[in-house]
Amino acid sequence: MTRVQLMRTLDTRLIIYAFVWILISCISTNAVQSDIDCLKSIKESLQDPENLLSSWDFNNSTEGFICKFGGVECWHPDESKVLNIHLSDMGLKGLKLDNNQFTGQIPLDLSRLDRIKEFSVTNNRLTGQVPALKKGSVSADSYAGNLGLCGDPLPLCEGSTKKARTGVIIGAALGSAATVALVVGGGMLFVMRKVVRKKKEEDPDENKWARSIKGTKKIKLSMFENPVSKMRLSDLMKATNSFSKDNIIGSGRTGSLYKATLEDSTSLMIKRLHDTQHSEKEFASEMATLGNVKHRNLVPLLGFCVTKHERLLVYKYMPNGTLHDNLHPVGKNVSNMEWWVRLKVAIGSAKGFAWLHHNCNPRILHRNISSKCILLDQDCEPRISDFGLARLMNPVDTHLSTFVNGEFGDIGYVAPEYTRTLVATPKGDVYSFGVVLLELVTGEKPTHVAKAPDSFKGSLAEWISDLSSQSKLQDSIDESLVGKGYDHEVCQILKVACSCVLSGHKERPTMFEVYQFLRAIGEKYNFTTDNEILVPTDTGDAGDIELIVARDMKPKN
């Protein structure tokens, strides 16, 4: 077990001592059973007045059952190997370490903790002098079953004066060490803050990297679209105020997105890529491929620029921002997205992803689908961004017909099988898109469900799964959508979303099937025309990706 993170009403030092004991007993064996025993010890050592650890039920023998405990994170959900324990803000208190196999002496420095109200270590194998805790707070019964313990409130130790002095010396030494540690830590924190402050003073706009490329302003941009074919890097520098932080309109795994306003008032989006792994020649080759990937529901890639270590992409500007910002607005007097807009976004983005999976050449696995990668144009038509960038960030897959991401994607959107297989598949994209559909229907964020009980610590997909098992899916629907005349449509979209986030990847539909389901639900709105509909061909066994052709391959603007 690694990295136990706890915050409770007791003194922090007491927590450290207690869990040092527990962890020592845990690491004495490599067996999975030790993790289970360790969690038992932790639960038994705590008082839980609000019953927040009710999910910690040890009457279970299935592999991975402890991974469902509240606050417990495992290496893998199907293996009882604990990675982290998070028990913050749960109102836990008290420290009972009874009936364990703890040995050695209780740290005497516990005597410095004057807020201990309850302490019990009965029936262990502890020895030596007990700490001089606050008078009346601990009785002799708290030490029962440890024959080697001595000192008030127990019988005095042999040579108590000498041992008491030793205890005082040890306590003083530990206290001095703790003080030195605090001073050193405080000094380091002061220095680090000073360094950060100095960096901010030196780089207030957080664009030092942009100033470093000023000498290359004459570099031309390689553009795929004629209207801006004569642009230079200097034009982008001026249009973004030298890539000032005030011009950042989005930031994600692949890089930061800036708004650029040209002299003729035309707006563009400029993405500065993070940590690309390709040489300039390889990058240009990848861009040549992506420049030809065009579809009505993709954000148009207009061009790119390579200078020194920087890689910049030029996109058409999307005035209505990301789906995430529209679904989860910040501030007062914000309005909820209307249902017809949400449905339009669901159908259009599904069509775009289906085209990438089944029709595009090369086929593209997005691998980073989220509500942040779906942008809305002036007509609220969804446009997918970051397609094909996965391979640029980490080219772990050398298969020339598929772009994949070396990362897992954003938290809350990652398919459960990724942590086990580390393999990108179309069904992984389907899972991520299913979470987006859940966002559209519930209005909740993928990692924080406001309507769930305080004791629930899971993701949006896990919450939906819990409600489904209780036949309470209706409770998840965004209240602003209820009773407006389209309840049936909302429920149908919710059902599609649930099929996308099934834990078994083989049980999920293909992206083409998802698009067909959604298009049928929103057919009366006429969001798509006949010549835009993807039509499958009889290709026999195409494996996990079904080949699809379209009647009209040209993008519809």
Side-chain angles (χ1 to χ4, degrees), residues 269-494:
M269 297 190 302
I270 314 299
K271 167 151 285 193
R272 180 204 177 200
L273 293 179
H274 292 164
D275 302 322
T276 56
Q277 304 293 319
H278 287 65
S279 66
E280 184 172 335
K281 183 177 180 180
E282 291 171 332
F283 181 79
S285 176
E286 299 286 358
M287 288 297 98
T289 299
L290 293 182
N292 290 321
V293 177
K294 299 182 185 299
H295 185 269
R296 171 176 178 165
N297 294 109
L298 303 181
V299 177
L301 176 62
L302 305 179
F304 67 96
C305 177
V306 179
T307 172
K308 294 186 176 179
H309 298 294
E310 299 297 335
R311 306 289 188 267
L312 306 174
L313 307 183
V314 182
Y315 289 101
K316 183 177 180 180
Y317 182 67
M318 297 290 115
N320 281 317
T322 68
L323 172 59
H324 179 274
D325 291 342
N326 281 272
L327 273 178
H328 314 294
V330 178
K332 299 180 180 179
N333 302 320
V334 295
S335 57
N336 295 308
M337 286 184 71
E338 296 184 45
W339 173 244
W340 72 268
V341 179
R342 301 191 197 200
L343 186 56
K344 182 178 184 178
V345 170
I347 296 172
S349 52
K351 183 172 65 174
F353 287 123
W355 187 83
L356 289 173
H357 278 201
H358 303 290
N359 194 241
C360 179
N361 184 20
R363 299 168 184 168
I364 294 179
L365 303 182
H366 194 285
R367 190 65 189 284
N368 199 22
I369 295 175
S370 71
S371 57
K372 292 182 179 180
C373 82
I374 299 174
L375 283 69
L376 307 181
D377 65 14
Q378 65 276 9
D379 299 318
C380 288
E381 184 74 28
R383 303 289 193 109
I384 299 167
S385 67
D386 290 357
F387 57 91
L389 298 190
R391 181 176 165 102
L392 297 177
M393 308 317 296
N394 191 348
V396 296
D397 184 56
T398 57
H399 196 284
L400 297 179
S401 64
T402 306
F403 291 80
V404 298
N405 195 345
E407 302 283 353
F408 285 160
D410 287 345
I411 296 176
Y413 295 95
V414 181
E417 66 269 15
Y418 276 174
T419 55
R420 181 176 66 256
T421 65
L422 302 181
V423 175
T425 67
K427 294 298 182 72
D429 273 3
V430 170
Y431 181 95
S432 301
F433 184 65
V435 178
V436 173
L437 292 179
L438 291 179
E439 285 184 83
L440 286 167
V441 172
T442 67
E444 298 285 356
K445 295 181 179 179
T447 55
H448 177 72
V449 184
K451 288 195 293 186
D454 292 339
S455 59
F456 180 79
K457 304 299 179 182
S459 65
L460 174 57
E462 291 169 334
W463 180 58
I464 291 294
S465 178
D466 288 349
L467 291 180
S468 179
S469 64
Q470 303 172 44
S471 300
K472 294 182 179 180
L473 272 179
Q474 194 76 19
D475 295 347
S476 69
I477 297 175
D478 190 337
E479 294 178 359
S480 68
L481 303 177
V482 178
K484 300 294 180 62
Y486 33 72
D487 289 358
H488 179 69
E489 295 172 9
V490 176
C491 290
Q492 290 298 105
I493 297 294
L494 182 55

Side-chain angles (χ1 to χ4, degrees), residues 124-145:
N124 283 285
R125 293 185 292 173
L126 300 169
T127 58
Q129 182 169 332
V130 299
L133 299 175
K134 186 178 179 181
K135 278 288 185 183
S137 63
V138 178
S139 67
D141 292 338
S142 298
Y143 301 110

Side-chain angles (χ1 to χ4, degrees), residues 489-537:
E489 295 172 9
V490 176
C491 290
Q492 290 298 105
I493 297 294
L494 182 55
K495 289 181 180 179
V496 175
C498 289
S499 70
C500 292
V501 296
L502 291 171
S503 58
H505 66 95
K506 292 182 179 180
E507 299 174 6
R508 300 172 203 150
T510 65
M511 195 64 78
F512 171 73
E513 290 170 334
V514 173
Y515 166 64
Q516 292 289 64
F517 293 148
L518 298 178
R519 185 184 65 83
I521 294 170
E523 191 170 12
K524 72 176 185 181
Y525 294 90
N526 296 318
F527 290 138
T528 60
T529 58
D530 288 342
N531 65 348
E532 291 178 309
I533 298 174
L534 296 170
V535 179
T537 59

Side-chain angles (χ1 to χ4, degrees), residues 536-555:
T537 59
D538 184 9
T539 59
D541 183 10
D544 206 10
I545 300 181
E546 181 181 7
L547 294 177
I548 307 296
V549 297
R551 293 179 183 173
D552 188 348
M553 292 289 294
K554 297 179 180 179

Side-chain angles (χ1 to χ4, degrees), residues 33-52:
Q33 184 62 38
S34 66
D35 288 30
I36 299 173
D37 294 339
C38 195
L39 291 179
K40 282 184 180 179
S41 297
I42 291 175
K43 183 177 182 181
E44 292 167 358
S45 72
L46 301 171
Q47 293 183 39
D48 184 15
E50 299 180 21
N51 199 30
L52 296 180

